[in-house]
Amino acid sequence: QVQLQESGPGLVKPSQTLSLTCSVSGGSITTNNYYWSWIRQPPGKGLEWIGYIGYNGDTYYSPFLESRTSISRDTSKNQFTLQLSSVTPEDTAVYYCALTDGVVIVMPQSLTEFASWGQGTQVTVSS
């Protein structure tokens, strides 16, 4: 079973860049038809899809966050990384990385729609 684990700083100052890494075990990030997403859940709100990097390295981002988002990968470490620039307190959320097989979910209602997901990491944007 594929397992995912988010890591990164829990506190980021406004205007800085948020950077999170997802470490994958039990499967390769280059496995055909696997899509690796970042999702977040602000306090008191639903899930918000941020973007994905596919098995072939292609990326696609939410149009609402595209100008500030970059997702990359390190195949040697079996990891993929989220960078979100120019953060504000509105970017405070629990951030998750997740896997889908053969499909991309851009409006998730629940993490259970994904094949696998990490436990989530709280990121607070505050000075």
Side-chain angles (χ1 to χ4, degrees):
Q1 183 178 358
V2 177
Q3 295 184 318
L4 299 90
Q5 178 68 57
E6 306 90 350
S7 61
L11 180 64
V12 183
K13 295 185 184 301
S15 81
Q16 292 187 342
T17 296
L18 178 162
S19 183
L20 297 174
T21 296
C22 184
S23 299
V24 177
S25 59
S28 172
I29 62 173
T30 61
T31 298
N32 199 36
N33 286 333
Y34 275 9
Y35 296 90
W36 305 91
S37 289
W38 285 100
I39 307 133
R40 68 183 184 180
Q41 185 165 27
K45 298 185 179 180
L47 295 175
E48 179 181 18
W49 179 76
I50 300 170
Y52 77 75
I53 186 164
Y55 61 98
N56 57 1
D58 287 352
T59 56
Y60 186 74
Y61 307 127
S62 165
F64 302 105
L65 296 169
E66 182 175 14
S67 64
R68 300 193 290 128
T69 304
S70 177
I71 299 175
S72 59
R73 67 181 185 174
D74 186 335
T75 56
S76 67
K77 296 181 179 179
N78 215 35
Q79 296 175 334
F80 62 103
T81 298
L82 167 70
Q83 290 193 310
L84 185 67
S85 64
S86 304
V87 297
T88 72
E90 285 66 43
D91 293 308
T92 294
V94 178
Y95 285 75
Y96 299 92
C97 53
L99 163 67
T100 50
D101 183 357
V103 297
V104 177
I105 300 170
V106 299
M107 295 184 67
Q109 301 300 305
S110 168
L111 289 173
T112 59
E113 298 176 50
F114 295 87
S116 186
W117 59 93
Q119 65 182 22
T121 187
Q122 172 70 46
V123 178
T124 300
V125 179
S126 174
S127 56

